[in-house]
Amino acid sequence: MTSLYKLVGGVSLLALLGGCASLSGDGGFGAVASVSEQRTGAPASVAGRLPRNEDDARALAAVIGKKLEQPLSADDAVQVALLNNRGLQATYWSLGVAEADLVQAGRVQNPVLDFKRSHGGGEVGIERTLTFNLVGLITAPMASRIEGRRFEQTKLLVSNEALKVAADTRRAWVDAVAAAQIADYAKQVEASAQASAELSERMRKAGNWSALDMAREQAYHAQTVADVTHTQKAAVAAREKLTRLLGLSGEQAAYRLPDHLPDLPAAPRELANVEQAAVDERLDIQAAKLDTEQTASTLGLTRTTRFINVLDLGAVRNTDGPTATRGYELTLEIPLFDWGSARVARAEATYMQSVNQLAQAAVQARSEARASYADYRASYDLARHYRDRVLPLRKQISEQTLLRYNGMLMSVFELLADAREQATAVSGYIGALRDYWIAQANLEAAQGGRLSTNKGVQP
């Protein structure tokens, strides 16, 4: 009997020690912020913690306000999104949930105290039972390891979500700047087309142009007016998409952007073995690996508790009048009808599901790496072709056309036609430059973060 009480005392000591586990100050956010900053180049927090009160909110507003004083660069836009995107902030707080689960798993289940009092025949009977869940005690270390892996997986997934927001913001910034640049150029083309339409009317009145020639110029002007409307709509939509990612509203939504996209770099970046780099560096792949390991541990726990799922040990003390008795109580689930085969089969199926999901994630990552790198190189070649061949040739043609027109060797029809072709070339270059910077952002996302070899060439 003495040994029983020693056992109960030992279990009580374990329960006390288990209750000493506590939550960290940041819920794992520090590690996530470090990974995010390393891979995006932008800090994910102010003063190294999540906003919790009005003072933190004022500090955050001051940082964002400072960024918005100047035209917003791509890097600054990424930083504002990491700090202020509410959806991402909500994802950050999932770390606290995961850490709470981890701490809870490391704590021994509370004992159960049963008290019963009865009387009859002039005597009073009292029964007291203190019961501990031995299964929970035995499996607590394994459960803690499982929750530990889940917590690490959550940190990877949250970090990966921050990288996604950063990549989406960078793409949205490129789209917004390009759309505004295209809209501004469309206005210039429309103004030129309006002058051409007015000239056609004067030429028609002077009898130098036919009605067909005048109609062509007026139709072209009408089309440019429609193009201005289309480009302005696209510019508003692109800017609002960026604004949503930045989490801005009110007066802050009136932020400024650069007038044009950054110039094309002198040369593209050469990357070796993009597939393996993606598999090694991408956080979603690392999280999938941890999920598989966690599922394997869960399978082991299920097999361990397959036959014995309920095992409680308790100390009993009964008082029946002047007589007191002591003893112990053991509660054991007998696997008479359920031998746990269904739970084991479910755990095995879940494990195999996780294994195949990991394999598919690796296939997906490799494919995205190949496709994004090919698109990056092709987009660079196209933009360089516009810059080095198409635009110089169009400029040369325009200069020669103007000289010939001034020498009365070419008609005004050819001059106007050349102006339209030049406008098409410029619009094509802006689009090609936009596609290049978006392709680079896609490549970085496929590789798991900003490329160290691309430092100094980011927009």
Side-chain angles (χ1 to χ4, degrees):
M1 186 61 63
T2 303
S3 60
L4 174 63
Y5 285 104
K6 289 182 178 179
L7 175 61
V8 172
V11 173
S12 301
L13 178 60
L14 288 174
L16 179 61
L17 293 176
C20 293
S22 60
L23 300 170
S24 67
D26 65 354
F29 177 72
V32 170
S34 177
V35 172
S36 174
E37 183 171 1
Q38 178 184 1
R39 291 175 178 253
T40 64
S45 64
V46 177
R49 64 176 183 270
L50 290 172
R52 293 175 177 268
N53 50 48
E54 293 184 0
D55 291 338
D56 293 339
R58 283 192 292 268
L60 175 60
V63 172
I64 294 176
K66 187 69 175 177
K67 295 292 182 182
L68 300 183
E69 290 178 358
Q70 303 295 328
L72 196 64
S73 67
D75 289 337
D76 287 342
V78 169
Q79 182 177 353
V80 171
L82 293 179
L83 294 173
N84 200 51
N85 184 286
R86 294 300 180 178
L88 182 58
Q89 296 295 312
T91 303
Y92 287 154
W93 284 105
S94 65
L95 292 167
V97 177
E99 187 191 38
D101 291 340
L102 171 60
V103 173
Q104 186 64 44
R107 294 180 176 176
V108 179
Q109 185 175 341
N110 291 328
V112 177
L113 175 64
D114 291 330
F115 180 85
K116 182 169 66 175
R117 183 181 185 278
S118 60
H119 61 88
E123 295 185 355
V124 177
I126 298 176
E127 179 179 342
R128 296 172 290 269
T129 305
L130 183 64
T131 306
F132 294 89
N133 184 345
L134 293 185
V135 171
L137 177 63
I138 294 170
T139 60
M142 183 177 291
S144 295
R145 289 194 296 271
I146 292 173
E147 290 299 331
R149 289 194 182 95
R150 181 176 287 117
F151 184 42
E152 293 301 319
Q153 180 190 14
T154 301
K155 288 194 286 187
L156 288 173
L157 291 175
V158 171
S159 299
N160 190 59
E161 186 63 27
L163 297 188
K164 286 183 179 179
V165 170
D168 289 343
T169 302
R170 195 172 293 276
R171 284 188 287 258
W173 182 91
V174 172
D175 273 334
V177 174
Q181 187 176 353
I182 291 173
D184 289 341
Y185 187 68
K187 291 179 182 177
Q188 299 176 24
V189 173
E190 189 274 332
S192 176
Q194 182 180 7
S196 299
E198 293 173 353
L199 174 62
S200 67
E201 291 182 5
R202 292 195 297 268
M203 296 287 285
R204 171 60 179 167
K205 291 179 180 178
N208 296 327
W209 273 26
S210 66
L212 177 60
D213 293 332
M214 184 185 69
R216 284 198 182 104
E217 292 304 317
Q218 291 180 338
Y220 177 66
H221 176 236
Q223 182 60 50
T224 59
V225 172
D227 292 340
V228 168
T229 302
H230 284 302
T231 56
Q232 288 178 337
K233 287 175 57 181
V236 170
R239 182 183 176 90
E240 288 301 323
K241 180 179 179 180
L242 176 61
T243 303
R244 290 192 296 271
L245 286 167
L246 297 176
L248 301 178
S249 60
E251 295 181 356
Q252 290 183 330
Y255 59 90
R256 293 175 294 159
L257 291 172
D259 296 331
H260 57 82
L261 290 171
D263 294 332
L264 194 68
R269 298 298 170 177
E270 298 288 344
L271 301 179
N273 201 2
V274 292
E275 294 183 41
Q276 191 60 46
V279 174
D280 293 340
E281 297 296 330
R282 282 180 51 156
L283 297 181
D284 56 339
I285 300 297
Q286 297 178 26
K289 290 179 181 177
L290 277 180
D291 180 68
T292 302
E293 294 174 3
Q294 171 192 315
T295 307
S297 298
T298 304
L299 174 59
L301 178 61
T302 302
R303 285 173 173 168
T304 300
T305 60
R306 173 177 181 176
F307 299 109
I308 302 177
N309 196 38
V310 176
L311 179 59
D312 296 334
L313 177 63
V316 180
R317 177 184 173 89
N318 294 333
T319 302
D320 190 3
T323 304
T325 60
R326 296 180 179 86
Y328 65 90
E329 179 181 79
L330 181 66
T331 303
L332 174 66
E333 180 184 273
I334 301 175
L336 184 60
F337 304 108
D338 183 7
W339 289 79
S341 58
R343 288 188 291 112
V344 172
R346 186 183 188 280
E348 290 176 348
T350 303
Y351 172 72
M352 293 307 301
Q353 183 183 49
S354 178
V355 169
N356 284 278
Q357 288 174 344
L358 173 59
Q360 180 59 33
V363 171
Q364 186 81 10
R366 290 177 179 274
S367 175
E368 290 177 356
R370 292 193 303 269
S372 61
Y373 186 59
D375 182 51
Y376 166 76
R377 293 303 301 266
S379 297
Y380 180 87
D381 291 342
L382 179 59
R384 182 175 58 184
H385 177 71
Y386 267 100
R387 183 194 65 184
D388 297 343
R389 294 292 297 166
V390 176
L391 291 185
L393 287 173
R394 292 308 325 171
K395 181 179 180 182
Q396 181 181 355
I397 292 173
S398 296
E399 292 173 350
Q400 292 297 320
T401 301
L402 183 59
L403 287 175
R404 290 175 177 271
Y405 174 75
N406 290 336
M408 293 184 290
L409 299 176
M410 296 186 70
S411 67
V412 69
F413 302 105
E414 294 171 293
L415 183 65
L416 296 176
D418 176 71
R420 288 194 287 268
E421 292 175 358
Q422 186 176 15
T424 301
V426 172
S427 297
Y429 175 63
I430 296 174
L433 193 59
R434 175 201 59 205
D435 293 343
Y436 165 76
W437 288 116
I438 290 179
Q440 180 167 292
N442 292 337
L443 176 60
E444 291 176 343
Q447 293 287 289
R450 295 190 69 179
L451 306 174
S452 59
T453 54
N454 280 347
K455 289 182 179 178
V457 301
Q458 298 293 331

